[in-house]
Amino acid sequence: MLNSSVAGLAHALRVESWKKVIYPSLQESGNSSLYDIGSGRRLLESVAMQDWGTCLMNEAEADTAVPYQKGLAAALDHALDQQALLCCIGGDHSITHAVLQMMAKAPGSRRVLVQFDAHHDCGIDAIHQEQPSHSNFVRHLLEQDTVAAVVQIGLRGLRSADQMYSHPGLIQISAEHMTPERVSHVLNEVRQKYDVDSAYLTFDLDSLDPGSFPFVDFPIAAGPTWQNIRDCVIAALEVPLSYEGMDMVEGQGVQSDRHIPGQYELALRMLVYMMDGIHRNRRRFELSSRTSAAREGMLSGTGVSMNQDIQEV
């Protein structure tokens, strides 16, 4: 939505990403990947990415609850057809609500939303709360049973006590108590307690401390370090849950492509870790599926050729 303060994030990250070239590897097949100097990690090895462009508001539906529904539906259908993971960038958390409502789900499956955010987004207020928005989408997801549970990580700041929301499926880890170990422990507990078998990851850029990334509509100080958030994202994506998509939202755009503040490199770096982690997550589940199929085939006497295709990740 072009009149939104968060409409330009995707383009800003695109321009920033053009500085980070991934070229064909000179030493082995595949691509050169990216190298994080700080952590010493190689990222996005063996990853195929496709930028499907910007999903613009449909002017004919400008007054509807989801004016970008047509473009979003097309992107989801294309992802399903290509057996690809959808990474949605930009806009606000109302888009996360729409993605989860429209994303295909196998009959009987149960999904958990893993949300990195400084705000609780449950929208307990006197006005403007009947329609889903960026400020109340979590409450709507839970009350509509769109997801079995929501795990919020990085919450902080002050709220009116009467604004706080409780639900059996809402689990919160504050910024003061977030560690990779706690994130892993809580998500494994949720996986077992709520019998969830899939997940979706959403990252609100205001979860970063505004000293690191100030370009958000509602910054809250005293956030965790970038390294702590990165390690918690990695931990979340290593839990044995099949992640089916992700998004990064609520970051502002820039006035000029020629003057992109250095903090956008930090946002791009976080996005790269998210894409790398969700790719590794998918490969683990694909390997597990192939291994199970090969074992079943060997038990039935038909699995020799299948077993030859299994590779370690």
Side-chain angles (χ1 to χ4, degrees):
M1 300 177 69
L2 298 180
N3 62 342
S4 167
S5 62
V6 295
L9 174 66
H11 181 70
L13 290 184
R14 275 193 189 104
V15 175
E16 183 66 27
S17 75
W18 297 336
K19 306 173 187 176
K20 321 293 180 184
V21 181
I22 300 180
Y23 50 83
S25 176
L26 303 177
Q27 299 177 342
E28 55 190 34
S29 61
N31 63 49
S32 66
S33 73
L34 291 173
Y35 186 79
D36 186 346
I37 298 174
S39 66
R41 292 176 65 122
R42 289 184 65 173
L43 305 165
L44 300 182
E45 294 183 89
S46 306
V47 175
M49 292 177 290
Q50 176 66 50
D51 185 346
W52 292 339
T54 299
C55 175
L56 293 175
M57 181 178 72
N58 184 349
E59 294 296 338
E61 300 175 341
D63 295 329
T64 64
V66 189
Y68 42 81
Q69 183 167 355
K70 184 177 180 180
L72 183 56
L76 285 166
D77 287 344
H78 191 51
L80 185 63
D81 180 64
Q82 297 294 318
Q83 297 183 338
L85 293 170
L86 181 70
C87 170
C88 191
I89 303 170
D92 64 28
H93 258 142
S94 64
I95 294 177
T96 305
H97 178 269
V99 168
L100 286 169
Q101 283 200 316
M102 298 166 66
M103 181 176 281
K105 187 166 63 171
S109 65
R110 292 169 62 80
R111 184 177 290 149
V112 59
L113 172 65
V114 180
Q115 176 188 2
F116 284 81
D117 206 321
H119 303 88
H120 66 165
D121 289 343
C122 293
I124 299 300
D125 207 333
I127 57 175
H128 306 310
Q129 296 305 319
E130 294 307 314
Q131 293 296 327
S133 70
H134 68 92
S135 65
N136 65 18
F137 83 104
V138 169
R139 177 168 58 85
H140 281 271
L141 286 175
L142 288 170
E143 293 179 355
Q144 294 165 354
D145 202 29
T146 304
V147 295
V150 176
V151 177
Q152 297 182 319
I153 305 164
L155 305 178
R156 59 186 186 271
L158 294 171
R159 301 289 187 280
S160 164
D162 288 340
Q163 283 185 308
M164 299 309 295
Y165 174 74
S166 62
H167 186 282
L170 180 62
I171 299 92
Q172 298 173 323
I173 304 174
S174 70
E176 287 84 351
H177 297 100
M178 62 184 285
T179 64
E181 294 76 18
R182 182 162 177 76
V183 168
S184 179
H185 175 74
V186 168
L187 283 174
N188 275 300
E189 278 192 338
V190 169
R191 179 173 62 90
Q192 297 174 11
K193 180 178 179 180
Y194 294 91
D195 194 27
V196 295
D197 49 21
S198 63
Y200 183 90
L201 174 66
T202 181
F203 190 94
D204 188 323
L205 280 164
D206 66 26
S207 61
L208 299 174
D209 187 89
S212 299
F213 191 84
F215 306 106
V216 296
D217 285 351
F218 306 102
I220 299 183
T225 66
W226 186 89
Q227 290 83 357
N228 187 21
I229 297 180
R230 176 202 61 196
D231 292 346
C232 286
V233 168
I234 293 172
L237 290 169
E238 289 179 344
V239 171
L241 282 167
S242 177
Y243 281 81
E244 298 177 333
M246 69 178 202
D247 62 51
M248 175 177 277
V249 299
E250 311 234 11
Q252 296 175 345
V254 295
Q255 296 295 320
S256 170
D257 291 353
R258 297 182 179 181
H259 302 286
I260 297 181
Q263 291 94 331
Y264 279 85
E265 202 270 351
L266 195 66
L268 179 67
R269 192 174 167 197
M270 182 63 74
L271 181 63
V272 168
Y273 268 97
M274 291 168 61
M275 290 193 294
D276 181 78
I278 206 168
H279 173 67
R280 292 175 187 272
N281 173 274
R282 187 180 198 186
R283 292 189 66 182
R284 284 195 298 270
F285 274 88
E286 287 177 345
L287 175 62
S288 176
S289 177
R290 290 199 301 268
T291 302
S292 297
R295 287 172 179 167
E296 291 177 5
M298 285 187 286
L299 288 174
S300 64
T302 62
V304 176
S305 62
M306 292 181 66
N307 194 40
Q308 293 174 347
D309 292 332
I310 298 175
Q311 300 176 349
E312 290 188 5
V313 177

